[in-house]
Amino acid sequence: LWFGPGDDSSQWSNAPIPSTSPPNNLIAPWWDDLVVRESIGEVYAALTGAEPNRRLVITWVDVGHYRLGDNANVTFQAILDESGGNITYQYKDTDFGSPDQDRGASATIGIESSSGRRGTQFSYNAASIQDDDAVLFSLDRSDYGTVSGAVTRSDNGQPIPGVTVAIGENNTNTS
């Protein structure tokens, strides 16, 4: 999954994370050459709960691999938790029936920022997951704080309208 705005890349070949090459702004529970065809695979999305405690659950059911036939399928899901900022990947079936693709052997699993300069890679082209595994990416809130205030004129102390303040990557507010 990649989230816009950003590159509308149709990159089917996985790569290590992080990388400034597209795609960026990426949530990758199983970045590989997966396919959903009329005869195989389904993808579902559900938004549950109420703000600020919503969860977006995206589930891939019996999705295939491009290099394998229609009977080689996996099932997994990604859960995005609004209140805690956690991202969880859950794996029900990780076996295509081919050692070259089974258990993520040809996939990238991780998350990446919109610039591609920051990311956390769980695995890259390694058979690192098994049936019924879960991978949790948890936001470390100890690295974050709150900045508040107004940008004011030095001569009269009045707020300056339309000033944009940027702190960190893509975090801006306009007063």
Side-chain angles (χ1 to χ4, degrees):
L1 300 172
W2 63 267
F3 297 89
D7 180 3
D8 63 349
S9 176
S10 58
Q11 183 74 7
W12 62 86
S13 181
N14 64 305
I17 292 175
S19 171
T20 56
S21 297
N24 302 118
N25 215 18
L26 181 66
I27 296 174
W30 197 309
W31 179 12
D32 204 347
D33 205 354
L34 302 180
V35 294
V36 175
R37 298 186 183 127
E38 187 175 322
S39 60
I40 61 163
E42 298 176 294
V43 180
Y44 300 98
L47 184 63
T48 63
E51 192 176 347
N53 298 306
R54 295 174 293 191
R55 293 174 70 196
L56 175 62
V57 180
I58 303 163
T59 306
W60 290 259
V61 178
D62 291 330
V63 295
H65 195 283
Y66 180 77
R67 293 185 188 112
L68 305 173
D70 287 354
N71 294 323
N73 308 316
V74 294
T75 298
F76 59 97
Q77 67 184 188
I79 303 167
L80 288 67
D81 179 6
E82 179 180 31
S83 64
N86 295 332
I87 299 172
T88 305
Y89 302 155
Q90 297 185 139
Y91 300 92
K92 180 179 179 187
D93 178 6
T94 62
D95 188 356
F96 287 106
S98 169
D100 292 339
Q101 284 81 30
D102 289 349
R103 297 177 297 287
S106 61
T108 301
I109 298 171
I111 57 175
E112 185 177 82
S113 69
S114 59
S115 69
R117 290 178 288 179
R118 295 173 40 201
T120 301
Q121 179 177 284
F122 177 77
S123 67
Y124 170 67
N125 288 348
S128 59
I129 52 175
Q130 298 180 42
D131 293 358
D132 302 318
D133 274 359
V135 176
L136 171 66
F137 296 93
S138 182
L139 178 63
D140 181 1
R141 296 199 181 266
S142 66
D143 289 341
Y144 295 86
T146 301
V147 176
S148 62
V151 177
T152 59
R153 295 177 51 110
S154 62
D155 60 347
N156 65 13
Q158 295 297 310
I160 302 172
V163 172
T164 300
V165 178
I167 301 173
E169 190 177 305
N170 296 324
N171 297 312
T172 61
N173 284 321
T174 303
S175 60

